[in-house]
Amino acid sequence: MVPRSAHLRWGLDMSEKKESVWAGFKAFLTRGNVVDLAVAVVIGAAFTNIVNAVVKGIINPLVGAFGTKNLDSYSSCLKGPCEGTGDAATGVRILWGSVLGATLQFLITAAVVYFLMVLPMAKYLARVEARRKAKEGTQEVVEITELEVLKEIRDSLVAQRGPGGAER
């Protein structure tokens, strides 16, 4: 059972009916940021496979031209004689090849996400905002012009009445 303090911390009242709990849960799930986050996780998981394939198929062979194809095999011995592999290894190894591989995967992922998703979306949103501002600017010019016309009409009506204010 969840303590009452946890319910209060999350803004839940334990005396509410089940319908209101379901309504609150539904409202939580339908908020934009929850749905966006779920989509991002699914797309990210699918995109990871692509990045892994690029690293295995392109990056590792390029690195293999200078050494071994497997970046995980690059390491340095920090202490003692470093012999063997896996559980039978002796000494203290720093596996800097694994870190290099993970860093390359991260950089490739970040570059693709930025250039294929973030940058085009930012340009699109900037265009939409510019159109909105241009539309607002046009409306302001029209409103100012109409106001000036109304002032001119008023001034000419006042001029027709003459100095005493009576019509001619």
Side-chain angles (χ1 to χ4, degrees):
M1 177 153 180
V2 180
R4 180 168 173 76
S5 61
H7 285 281
L8 294 175
R9 185 176 4 172
W10 289 97
L12 301 174
D13 185 4
M14 292 176 63
S15 63
E16 291 179 342
K17 295 181 182 178
K18 285 196 176 199
E19 292 90 21
S20 62
V21 171
W22 283 110
F25 183 66
K26 181 181 174 187
F28 169 74
L29 288 179
T30 56
R31 283 192 305 188
N33 55 355
V34 173
V35 175
D36 292 344
L37 181 60
V39 170
V41 168
V42 171
I43 295 295
F47 188 67
T48 299
N49 293 333
I50 295 171
V51 172
N52 288 339
V54 168
V55 170
K56 272 185 174 179
I58 297 173
I59 303 297
N60 285 351
L62 288 175
V63 171
F66 302 104
T68 178
K69 282 186 178 181
N70 186 4
L71 290 177
D72 293 337
S73 65
Y74 290 105
S75 64
S76 297
C77 187
L78 185 63
K79 178 182 176 186
C82 293
E83 297 173 353
T85 59
D87 292 336
T90 60
V92 178
R93 292 181 189 244
I94 296 177
L95 304 174
W96 58 270
S98 299
V99 174
L100 178 63
T103 303
L104 287 173
Q105 284 183 339
F106 170 77
L107 290 175
I108 291 169
T109 303
V112 171
V113 167
Y114 179 76
F115 290 112
L116 295 182
M117 296 177 192
V118 173
L119 193 60
M121 182 59 78
K123 288 182 180 180
Y124 170 74
L125 292 175
R127 275 188 265 136
V128 168
E129 183 66 20
R131 286 184 197 145
R132 185 188 64 79
K133 285 184 178 182
K135 186 177 179 182
E136 285 178 2
T138 304
Q139 289 175 352
E140 288 177 11
V141 169
V142 169
E143 289 174 7
I144 291 172
T145 306
E146 290 175 2
L147 182 61
E148 290 174 358
V149 169
L150 290 173
K151 285 180 182 179
E152 289 177 11
I153 293 171
R154 181 201 63 200
D155 292 343
S156 55
L157 286 174
V158 168
Q160 286 177 359
R161 288 187 190 160
E167 286 189 30
R168 293 183 190 180

